[in-house]
Amino acid sequence: MTVRVVLADDQSVVRAGFRALLDLTDDLVVVAEAADGIRAVEAVRTTRPDVVLMDIRMPGIDGIEATRRIAADRALDQVRVVMLTTYQVDAYIFEALRWGAAGFLLKDMEPDELRTAIRTVAAGQSLLAPAVTRSVVEEFVRLRVPEALGAERLDHLTGREREVMALVAAGFTNAEIGTELTMSPLTAKTHVSRAMIKLGARDRAQLVVLAYETGLVRVGER
């Protein structure tokens, strides 16, 4: 399977570096580049890639707004956006996760890390180490969400789905959820998928954000 990638970064040298790296990889291909958020959205709508590497800060509209527009387009449901940042804890990453980003990568990552990350996201799996995702979410929930918001959204979930969602927020894999709740990993995956559908979450990263925002999980728990 060849993974189709769009590169969105306002620095041509950054795009050139990523393209040179991906061009050397048989199963990864760059189908478009963009130097700003508006062109990034246009490129995604035109090429329908599997993965977008999206810089957070770009002229026109930034990477967060571009991600929001991509996530809001039902025709692009299968597109996964990965934010590129210079800092591990970036003030904008939490907003990007809220609007549908599958995760984030540091620009100074090793080449093999980049290749693995792209393949992982394209396969629909969780990109980030759960602990890293959780630390980012906790930090910005602590700063921006003093009280639970939209807790009534959880009314649509079964008790088991709430349990599973809480464990996802704690960084558990499907296999670990299965062990914790005495079920198979496949059953755990099914509960995760149902919770995502009911809450309109694109992926596990958004599910983690929602778990904190709705008060299902509190900062500092587990």
Side-chain angles (χ1 to χ4, degrees):
M1 169 185 166
T2 298
V3 179
R4 294 157 50 81
V5 181
V6 165
L7 301 176
D9 195 296
D10 62 335
Q11 296 184 37
S12 58
V13 67
V14 173
R15 298 197 310 275
F18 280 127
R19 178 181 276 276
L21 175 61
L22 298 184
D23 282 347
L24 296 173
T25 310
D26 292 340
D27 62 332
L28 306 177
V29 59
V30 176
V31 295
E33 295 184 26
D36 60 61
I38 292 175
R39 289 192 179 121
V41 176
E42 291 173 350
V44 170
R45 287 175 174 159
T46 300
T47 63
R48 303 292 175 89
D50 301 296
V51 177
V52 183
L53 297 181
M54 182 84 75
D55 188 23
I56 288 180
R57 297 169 184 82
M58 290 187 291
I61 63 172
D62 63 19
I64 297 173
E65 175 60 19
T67 297
R68 187 195 69 76
R69 294 186 187 187
I70 291 168
D73 189 336
R74 296 199 174 190
L76 304 176
D77 276 349
Q78 301 306 310
V79 177
R80 292 292 173 260
V81 179
V82 178
M83 308 308 295
L84 298 174
T85 181
T86 308
Y87 307 102
Q88 187 167 23
V89 178
D90 190 300
Y92 298 98
I93 289 174
F94 178 63
E95 292 300 326
L97 293 175
R98 288 183 71 187
W99 288 117
F104 68 94
L105 292 170
L106 300 179
K107 288 188 177 181
D108 62 354
M109 78 200 90
E110 294 297 321
D112 284 344
E113 289 181 89
L114 175 64
R115 297 187 187 101
T116 298
I118 293 173
R119 294 182 185 119
T120 299
V121 171
Q125 300 175 33
S126 178
L127 168 62
L128 300 169
V132 175
T133 304
R134 184 181 176 208
S135 67
V136 171
V137 173
E138 282 201 353
E139 175 65 18
F140 292 101
V141 167
R142 190 194 312 274
L143 295 175
R144 301 186 183 191
V145 190
E147 298 179 1
L149 300 176
E152 68 279 357
R153 297 178 67 180
L154 298 179
D155 294 343
H156 300 292
L157 302 185
T158 65
R160 182 59 92 186
E161 287 164 355
R162 291 189 188 205
E163 288 181 297
V164 168
M165 183 174 170
L167 292 177
V168 170
F172 283 49
T173 64
N174 290 336
E176 291 167 341
I177 291 172
T179 299
E180 181 78 6
L181 300 180
T182 316
M183 62 176 66
S184 71
L186 182 58
T187 299
K189 181 179 179 181
T190 298
H191 284 303
V192 172
S193 297
R194 287 176 179 167
M196 287 169 55
I197 291 170
K198 290 180 179 180
L199 295 172
R202 282 171 62 90
D203 51 36
R204 293 174 80 103
Q206 268 200 313
L207 204 60
V208 174
V209 171
L210 287 169
Y212 282 96
E213 286 194 327
T214 58
L216 179 65
V217 175
R218 306 282 182 181
V219 173
E221 290 184 345
R222 281 191 175 273

